[in-house]
């Protein structure tokens, strides 16, 4: 029964179109720019993209459900496209045109969770064409059935510190084309920056240690030391991409519980804080 529930959830996720890099149905890259949703009379216009929208609640068939912690959606722009259901992470090909948002199928993680009801419901609600009603830091997405997703851009918790936090890598790529990690690697690649100017973690294949000194919004990386596991396929590709961070300096930005690293060659890596691993301030 448990296995059946997980399989059903993954099927819904794939059908809902919740994973991959940002894009548009017309093939343009407008969704990565400052697309805006028309929130209607009297409401201000706020950019839909480049924002982490935290899910507050979901209303399906008149029944309102409060979202679990750490459920969010990104609709493109800086930080990429996709989000987290509270258990599984996802991405999506997204088109944002005026007050209309469309999702296309993408990649998802395959974490087995005890409670999947909210994930199933949210995946169905996000399937296809949605009307966006945005007013300052609040967003409501409504589908053709009248199901509503209430979101906010306000931080849901104090921001995670760069140093001492376990950062789990979500996406890697170039600029707005960053894609979620393959399912073979999702949740495994992670980095921890120490106050002593070091970094340790895993690159999807091998464990890594090295220097990473933070100064004026940049991390100066030293030559990495790796374990000697032999990996192929997605694990090897992810490791090769993440090693680009260690080629000189990388700009970093911490916002809420998200980290964005931009290497000198344009490689962009996004990661999410593992809350339980935060050090005490």
């Amino acid at each position: 029964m448990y296995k059946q529930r997980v399989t059903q959830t993954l099927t819904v996720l794939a059908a809902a179109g919740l994973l991959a890099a940002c894009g548009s149905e017309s093939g343009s890259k407008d969704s990565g720019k400052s697309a805006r949703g028309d929130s209607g009379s009297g409401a201000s216009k706020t950019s839909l993209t480049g924002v982490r929208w935290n899910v507050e609640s979901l209303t399906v068939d008149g029944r309102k459900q409060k979202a679990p912690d750490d459920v969010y959606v990104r609709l493109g722009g800086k930080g990429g496209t996709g989000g987290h259901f509270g258990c599984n992470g996802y991405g999506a090909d997204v088109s944002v045109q005026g007050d209309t948002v469309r999702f296309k199928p993408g990649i998802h993680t395959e974490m087995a969770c005890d409670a999947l009801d909210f994930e199933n419901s949210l995946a169905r609600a996000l399937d296809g064409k949605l009307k966006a009603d945005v007013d300052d830091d609040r967003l409501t997405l409504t589908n053709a059935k009248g199901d509503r997703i209430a979101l906010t851009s306000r931080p849901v918790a104090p921001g995670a510190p760069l140093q001492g936090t376990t950062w789990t890598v979500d996406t890697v790529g170039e600029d707005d084309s960053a894609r979620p990690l393959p399912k073979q690697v999702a949740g495994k690649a992670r980095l921890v920056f120490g106050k002593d100017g070091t970094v340790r973690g895993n690159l999807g294949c091998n464990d890594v240690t090295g220097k990473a000194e933070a100064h004026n919004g940049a991390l100066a990386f030293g030559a990495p030391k790796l374990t000697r596991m032999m990996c192929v396929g997605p694990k090897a590709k992810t490791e090769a991409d993440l090693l680009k961070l260690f080629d000189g300096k990388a700009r970093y930005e911490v916002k809420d519980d998200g980290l964005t690293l931009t290497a000198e060659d344009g490689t962009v890596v996004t990661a999410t804080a593992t809350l339980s691993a935060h050090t005490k301030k």
Side-chain angles (χ1 to χ4, degrees):
M1 181 67 179
Y2 179 80
K3 183 177 181 181
Q4 181 181 8
R5 290 179 65 199
V6 174
T7 302
Q8 290 173 342
T9 297
L10 298 180
T11 301
V12 171
L13 290 172
L18 299 179
L19 292 168
C22 56
S24 70
E25 290 186 336
S26 63
S28 70
K29 296 184 179 180
D30 292 342
S31 64
K33 300 179 181 178
S34 56
R36 294 177 179 270
D38 187 350
S39 58
S41 177
S44 63
K45 291 183 178 181
T46 301
S47 177
L48 294 176
T49 61
V51 176
R52 170 180 163 135
W53 293 104
N54 302 302
V55 179
E56 292 187 326
S57 66
L58 170 66
T59 302
V60 176
D61 296 330
R63 178 173 173 263
K64 186 176 181 179
Q65 297 176 270
K66 183 180 178 180
D69 293 338
D70 201 34
V71 180
Y72 68 90
V73 176
R74 290 188 185 274
L75 300 175
K78 189 171 183 178
T81 301
H84 203 277
F85 279 134
C87 175
N88 284 287
Y90 65 92
D93 280 330
V94 177
S95 171
V96 178
Q97 298 178 346
D99 64 352
T100 300
V101 177
R102 291 181 174 86
F103 279 81
K104 279 189 174 183
I107 306 168
H108 55 79
T109 61
E110 297 184 5
M111 299 286 289
C113 305
D114 293 331
L116 296 173
D117 291 344
F118 189 89
E119 293 204 0
N120 277 306
S121 298
L122 182 58
R124 286 191 293 266
L126 284 170
D127 184 5
K129 183 178 177 181
L130 301 150
K131 180 182 181 298
D133 184 0
V134 61
D135 185 2
D136 294 330
D137 62 358
R138 291 194 170 276
L139 169 66
T140 302
L141 296 174
T142 306
N143 64 19
K145 297 179 181 179
D147 300 331
R148 298 189 309 279
I149 307 160
L151 311 97
T152 180
S153 61
R154 293 198 304 266
V156 295
L162 170 69
Q163 297 169 329
T165 297
T166 296
W167 295 104
T168 301
V169 178
D170 297 318
T171 68
V172 60
E174 295 181 359
D175 299 324
D176 293 334
S177 65
R179 292 181 176 273
L181 299 190
K183 62 182 180 181
Q184 298 94 325
V185 188
K188 298 178 181 179
R190 59 195 180 276
L191 297 169
V192 180
F193 300 99
K195 292 182 179 180
D196 59 352
T198 62
V199 61
R200 58 183 174 83
N202 183 276
L203 301 182
C205 176
N206 283 284
D207 291 341
V208 63
T209 58
K211 293 289 186 180
E213 297 180 345
H215 183 66
N216 290 338
L219 284 162
F221 286 90
K225 296 180 180 179
L226 302 174
T227 54
R228 297 183 178 181
M229 292 183 61
M230 296 296 294
C231 298
V232 297
K235 292 183 178 181
K237 176 64 166 60
T238 299
E239 179 170 288
D241 289 339
L242 291 176
L243 279 173
K244 295 176 182 178
L245 291 173
F246 291 81
D247 186 17
K249 290 185 178 181
R251 299 193 310 275
Y252 74 86
E253 180 182 8
V254 178
K255 188 174 182 180
D256 301 333
D257 64 349
L259 170 66
T260 301
L261 298 167
T262 305
E264 291 182 329
D265 71 344
T267 297
V268 176
V269 175
T270 66
T272 301
T274 301
L275 298 180
S276 60
H278 289 184
T279 56
K280 295 181 180 180
K281 295 182 179 180

